[in-house]
Amino acid sequence: MTVSPFDHPLLSALLGDDEASRHFSVEAEIEAMLAFERALAEAEAENGIITRDAAAAIAAALATFQPDTALLRAAVAKDGVMVPELVRQIRAAVGEPHGEKVHFGATSQDVIDTGLVLRLKSVVEHLGLLLTETIIRLISLEERFGGRALTGMTRMQPAIPIHIADRIAAWRAPLERHQERLSGQSGRLLVVQFGGAAGTLEKLGDKGPAVRAVLAAKLGLGDAPQWQSQRDALADFAGWLSLVTGSLGKFGQDIGLMAQGGSEIELSGGGGSSAMPHKQNPVKAEALVALARFNATQLSAMHQSLVHEQERSGAAWTLEWLLLPQMVVATAASLRLAAELAAQVESLGH
Amino acid sequence: MTVSPFDHPLLSALLGDDEASRHFSVEAEIEAMLAFERALAEAEAENGIITRDAAAAIAAALATFQPDTALLRAAVAKDGVMVPELVRQIRAAVGEPHGEKVHFGATSQDVIDTGLVLRLKSVVEHLGLLLTETIIRLISLEERFGGRALTGMTRMQPAIPIHIADRIAAWRAPLERHQERLSGQSGRLLVVQFGGAAGTLEKLGDKGPAVRAVLAAKLGLGDAPQWQSQRDALADFAGWLSLVTGSLGKFGQDIGLMAQGGSEIELSGGGGSSAMPHKQNPVKAEALVALARFNATQLSAMHQSLVHEQERSGAAWTLEWLLLPQMVVATAASLRLAAELAAQVESLGH
Amino acid sequence: MTVSPFDHPLLSALLGDDEASRHFSVEAEIEAMLAFERALAEAEAENGIITRDAAAAIAAALATFQPDTALLRAAVAKDGVMVPELVRQIRAAVGEPHGEKVHFGATSQDVIDTGLVLRLKSVVEHLGLLLTETIIRLISLEERFGGRALTGMTRMQPAIPIHIADRIAAWRAPLERHQERLSGQSGRLLVVQFGGAAGTLEKLGDKGPAVRAVLAAKLGLGDAPQWQSQRDALADFAGWLSLVTGSLGKFGQDIGLMAQGGSEIELSGGGGSSAMPHKQNPVKAEALVALARFNATQLSAMHQSLVHEQERSGAAWTLEWLLLPQMVVATAASLRLAAELAAQVESLGH
Amino acid sequence: MTVSPFDHPLLSALLGDDEASRHFSVEAEIEAMLAFERALAEAEAENGIITRDAAAAIAAALATFQPDTALLRAAVAKDGVMVPELVRQIRAAVGEPHGEKVHFGATSQDVIDTGLVLRLKSVVEHLGLLLTETIIRLISLEERFGGRALTGMTRMQPAIPIHIADRIAAWRAPLERHQERLSGQSGRLLVVQFGGAAGTLEKLGDKGPAVRAVLAAKLGLGDAPQWQSQRDALADFAGWLSLVTGSLGKFGQDIGLMAQGGSEIELSGGGGSSAMPHKQNPVKAEALVALARFNATQLSAMHQSLVHEQERSGAAWTLEWLLLPQMVVATAASLRLAAELAAQVESLGH
């Protein structure tokens, strides 16, 4: 099915990003969940919560575990999450006597949230690389054309002469601040989620924090108290995604306006029309504007989901699932398109 | 790829709707586009714009046409739309001498927008049936439990005794108004889009309106002047979708609050927990709230896309693609879940 | 205080509308509330719920009643609504023995919601007149310049020659549909709200519907069952407001793009710059775009407030207050600006 | 006029904040603008752009300058900004021969944006204090009731026993992270805006950066290159505001749910009902939820305004004015209400 253009076999060529999407496949999600369950068993064994034999049996079973996805699908319809059924399947794979130690002390949200963060870690790296690439392309444009003249436009009116470097600086500088912002916030984002049924790790006695720290270390994540109902790091990251697409939307809008006619810009490639073969539509520039407005909209709902009632909310949590993966892919696509668009520029200014 | 839960092999079991999604598959979209091209050729032949031989050749070729989707995908990346490449492929399939008459006088947006409306016609029928079904389920609840007592809650505080029928009426009455609204607006929504390169059907001389009327009739749509940059009917329909999910979100929220504890409601089935086998989470009720907040958010961007510059905007148009299909599926899923949830109610009130 | 530009002594000259704002003053609100209380007393007397003497005493007291607004302000801080304190003051003004019959059987939400609808009735008339005026101005432009030539622009690229009439039609036609939509929905909007503590008019025995019908008639509103937790008519009206501003935002955007340079448009008047005296900024056109994007955003939260829990929700209801008045004024300002902008057009096309 | 509850003489008692609102009065805005013009004259004199006599004359005139606000209002309607008229008035007050040196090299946006940042500096301090106060109140609750028992609720169902301290930690911890975030981002926010007509300070020759640095220092702001079309710091700050209200919305929602009945919480004070004198509505808790959803919505449009075309955009800039002041006041009100609500708690848990 292809309801979202990010998943659409054709439209994703323009609006999607394969590498970012890959992290939101079922396979990637389950792989991350299995990594959580293995690391949890090992961390619990190191802390004497379960035996080392149990942990070894769990790790062995997970190494070859293949989920029955039809049953997982049915479970989602019934339970709202796949985890109870997934755990049941893993326990069956581990068998007696260690099966019951799988997922010990954890809850569905621990697996799903940590599984998300594990993939966001890769996402953050990917977006960081794309962001650097886009900045480099803009610097290259500045080097090639920065000294040329351009009529500065204010309030959509010709104002005074400026240089191409002035306009490019307004495209580039926000992106450099976004790099700073990402490194500032990723420490709060890339942390383990482990709280158990209601956030208190009640089954681990006084070993909860110790297990959590080992779990985090094994997964390559930061350690932090559980945040089952505290979604600020995700909302903040969504804000970062939308800052990036917003800044690139400004770049796209400017390119679209420069390409309206006249000789301010020359672009290679570019979009054909079924009615007017002479046209060359600034397709990537338009897509940057669309993706900016899309993310600006989704961000609103990520903040709505901060109103996350009590210890864990099904409604607010489910809402995030409808938003964050698409925001990530929109941002990756936007960065990719911006870099490609910059590379299409044959000439800027006079 | 499965970035959106509506497309996700597992999550769509809860949050998706197969029948609604089906209308947004590539196959359904291309089928609708081919129907447009055939009807256009026939309408143009009837008006003497192209020959009857040309129309017959086009219809014959379309009957067996199979697109090369790899080329379509590449075209989307380059042109922002698949239509120029699709038309090229159809023309090649028709061959000399009639191939060039394919898509005569039309533009990409005509094919894509009319192709969307054709599918929205089926969507409107599907949603109308689901809406009726949900209303019937609520009436049934009212018949079974309407006379029972309930403590009316205002501002989240116990207020005075009311009857179950009072609360159910507040769930049902908005849905009945939504039925009225849909019949009021669908006449404006389900109309053909045919304007040519810039809305003037300049290649059809004075035959433009006549061709358009026949085209509409052949497709089973209403006739209307082109609306390439006038997106109010789509935004209004998006508003209707969000009114429906909003009303059902209130139903879900109420069920969730009734199910908090105590004996106001008994639900069969319901969600399991990986940490607490004793729990029965009101999963469908929560999903209704999430889908309501999702659509309320998307609606904002559908209205942003009303700012559609000049004769046709790539940015505002592309933005719609990112929103409307998901809003439709969210609404269908919400109606399905509401009907299922109503059917799970074993007891209401005292 | 002047946090909102709609209330700002200076900025409201551009972004506000005096006539629309007038309906949201404290005076207008209290006047509408007093009208409700008087009509309620009379309707209850006609139905034998209170004596005719009581109704007469209430009407007499209301005729000269002046609220103590300092106490009302304190009450809002404490109760979230001014009504309990306002009713207390009115009862004191009526005095013994009839004071206790003031507001009999009603709840705060009845007074506030009906008070809102009473003012929306005037708002709808005002907006309807402004909408007609704007349409007339566009028709006048079409008559003056419709036959002139213009380069049709698609995807921000020069496409083919069109006429000014073609572009104006794309500005005008949606506004005409908005006229239709308003008359279609105003019957559902302009209805009385009367439900009592939890929507059941429990203090009126079997006379509830009869009292409500008379109350509605006396206030010049339609009669309808209570809608305390059913906010669809308000959300639908908000959607209409945003459709209007969205369509005018497209008009503004187009004017801004035409005014970028060249000779497609000549505007009289227009905005000065503190840095560049030669410039003439298309200020009203820009404001139309800003107001369109503002309303598109607010609409989202009006739909969020459809998730209105149980019999009456304080949170969802309060949210509406933060949105709807501003949406109304934004729409009135947008219509006013659009009419003024159309009147500034000295020349269009070639 | 009182279109916004933040400006409303009665509703602002609940939903507003006097101290925050004060910074958005006309007086505060003009005072900040005059501070900019004085500091600019002095910075330019120090760099030899204007004479010291001119700077002294400007400073002297500004010390007693009183604007004609009626003319400013008329100017906003015509120019979209008050600055050209304000500068004209100041120049007249300075008189010959130095009047023309007022505002030398600056543009309207420099004055308005820097004037905003000057006030945001005070706002940031105010919000920081309120945030600390709220955290202290929550710590106090934790000290008083932290050891008591509570039934942890997950997915709106009773889960397992937890302690009051567990729930309070979920209210407090995000607020502490918001403190960190604010100090992380305020360096990027609290910087001068000075770019001249199109961002290049073209009238200052090679002295532009030096003048800007002195200007910033005199105003107590950070120095940074102009950001006329780079609105990321404002959008990021808006995100912070919405993170704060979102976290407090969760607190409000939880309090509302605890107060539904039973004995989990006792609140002093609280809202009266006009229909049911026995009720005590959790008014402040509800307002927290409303303000959270309000800000989450406005945030979307702050990100829409990142698509700020060319050197300076009237539309995107005007949109910010409709959003940011209200978001600030909503946040201040939310923090105030949260602290008050915490102080109303007489008992928590068992």
Side-chain angles (χ1 to χ4, degrees), chain C residues 47 49 194 200-201 204-214 223:
Chain C
N47 281 278
I49 302 289
F194 185 47
T200 56
L201 292 175
L204 304 191
D206 59 359
K207 297 280 185 59
V211 170
R212 197 188 64 212
V214 176
D223 182 28

Side-chain angles (χ1 to χ4, degrees), chain B residues 153-160 253 256-257 259-261 276 278-283 286 293 300-301 304, chain D residues 153-160 253 256-257 259-261 276 278-283 286 293 300-301 304:
Chain B
M153 298 287 289
T154 62
R155 304 194 79 145
M156 300 198 72
Q157 292 284 300
I160 59 168
Q253 182 83 301
L257 286 165
Q260 285 174 106
M276 294 165 285
H278 67 280
K279 282 186 66 187
Q280 195 188 35
N281 295 319
V283 168
E286 295 170 307
R293 300 209 182 281
S300 171
Q304 297 288 356
Chain D
M153 297 286 289
T154 61
R155 306 195 78 144
M156 302 198 69
Q157 293 284 299
I160 59 168
Q253 183 81 304
L257 287 166
Q260 286 174 103
M276 293 165 286
H278 66 282
K279 281 185 68 188
Q280 196 188 34
N281 296 319
V283 168
E286 295 171 308
R293 299 210 182 280
S300 171
Q304 297 288 356

Side-chain angles (χ1 to χ4, degrees), chain A residues 147-227:
Chain A
R148 293 203 194 166
L150 182 74
T151 299
M153 297 286 291
T154 62
R155 305 193 78 143
M156 300 198 73
Q157 292 284 300
I160 59 168
I162 60 171
H163 289 98
I164 287 291
D166 298 319
R167 185 166 281 182
I168 293 179
W171 298 337
R172 181 183 38 79
L175 302 183
E176 290 168 348
R177 287 191 290 272
H178 300 333
Q179 289 182 312
E180 271 180 48
R181 288 182 176 107
L182 184 61
S183 59
Q185 76 172 227
S186 60
R188 283 187 294 264
L189 176 68
L190 301 176
V191 296
V192 74
Q193 161 59 41
F194 184 48
T200 56
L201 291 175
E202 82 290 350
K203 291 193 181 163
L204 304 191
D206 58 0
K207 298 281 185 59
V211 170
R212 197 187 63 214
V214 176
L215 171 63
K218 285 183 183 291
L219 293 170
L221 299 177
D223 182 26
Q226 65 84 16
W227 43 278

Side-chain angles (χ1 to χ4, degrees), chain D residues 10 20 35 41 61 73 85 108 114 127 134 140 152 161 175-176 185-186 223 225 242 275 282 294 302 331 334 337 347:
Chain D
L10 309 184
R73 179 172 163 86
E85 170 60 21
S108 297
T114 301
L127 294 175
T134 301
S140 161
L175 302 183
E176 292 167 347
Q185 74 171 227
S186 59
D223 182 28
S242 181
F294 177 78
M302 283 298 296
T331 308
S334 178
L337 288 165
S347 171

Side-chain angles (χ1 to χ4, degrees), chain A residues 154-155 157 259-260 279, chain C residues 154-155 157 259-260 279 286:
Chain A
T154 62
R155 305 193 78 143
Q157 292 284 300
Q260 285 174 106
K279 282 185 66 187
Chain C
T154 61
R155 306 195 77 144
Q157 293 284 298
Q260 285 174 107
K279 281 185 68 188
E286 295 171 308

Side-chain angles (χ1 to χ4, degrees), chain D residues 6-280:
Chain D
F6 301 120
D7 297 319
H8 193 287
L10 309 184
L11 296 181
S12 63
L14 178 68
L15 298 166
D17 180 78
D18 282 352
E19 170 64 15
S21 288
R22 205 169 56 74
H23 297 296
F24 298 103
S25 68
V26 174
E27 293 70 27
E29 184 170 8
I30 290 181
E31 186 185 321
M33 288 177 170
L34 300 185
F36 173 91
E37 298 292 358
R38 183 173 51 236
L40 176 63
E42 292 169 355
E44 291 182 337
E46 290 186 21
N47 282 278
I49 302 288
I50 68 172
T51 63
R52 293 202 177 261
D53 283 356
I58 291 168
L62 286 171
T64 59
F65 176 75
Q66 292 295 333
D68 179 330
T69 52
L71 290 178
L72 292 180
R73 179 172 163 86
V76 168
K78 182 171 165 298
D79 302 333
V81 284
M82 73 178 84
V83 178
E85 170 60 21
L86 181 68
V87 168
R88 195 198 58 72
Q89 292 183 20
I90 300 171
R91 284 177 176 159
V94 174
E96 294 290 341
H98 300 305
E100 66 181 336
K101 297 303 183 191
V102 172
H103 190 72
F104 183 80
T107 194
S108 297
Q109 193 167 353
D110 295 335
V111 193
I112 292 176
D113 279 349
T114 301
L116 172 66
V117 171
L118 277 172
R119 292 172 292 142
L120 289 184
K121 194 179 175 189
S122 302
V123 160
V124 161
E125 280 170 30
H126 177 53
L127 294 175
L129 288 173
L130 289 173
L131 182 53
T132 301
E133 172 71 12
T134 301
I135 291 170
I136 289 171
R137 299 280 180 99
L138 292 176
I139 290 172
S140 161
L141 286 182
E142 194 169 340
E143 288 169 354
R144 289 162 64 203
F145 309 113
R148 293 202 194 167
L150 182 74
T151 299
M153 297 286 289
T154 61
R155 306 195 78 144
M156 302 198 69
Q157 293 284 299
I160 59 168
I162 61 171
H163 290 98
I164 287 291
D166 298 319
R167 185 167 282 182
I168 293 179
W171 298 337
R172 180 181 39 77
L175 302 183
E176 292 167 347
R177 286 190 291 272
H178 300 333
Q179 289 182 312
E180 272 180 49
R181 287 183 177 106
L182 184 61
S183 59
Q185 74 171 227
S186 59
R188 284 186 295 264
L189 177 68
L190 301 176
V191 296
V192 73
Q193 162 58 41
F194 185 48
T200 57
L201 292 175
E202 81 291 351
K203 292 193 181 161
L204 304 190
D206 59 0
K207 297 281 185 59
V211 170
R212 197 188 65 214
V214 176
L215 172 63
K218 286 183 182 291
L219 293 171
L221 297 177
D223 182 28
Q226 66 83 18
W227 42 278
Q228 289 172 345
S229 68
Q230 303 166 46
R231 316 303 289 181
D232 50 297
L234 291 178
D236 201 14
F237 180 54
W240 183 85
L241 295 171
S242 181
L243 286 175
V244 171
T245 49
S247 296
L248 297 176
K250 185 246 186 305
F251 169 56
Q253 183 81 304
D254 281 353
I255 294 288
L257 287 166
M258 293 174 92
Q260 286 174 103
S263 57
E264 272 186 353
I265 193 169
E266 282 174 43
L267 290 170
S268 64
S273 157
S274 73
M276 293 165 286
H278 66 282
K279 281 185 68 188
Q280 196 188 34

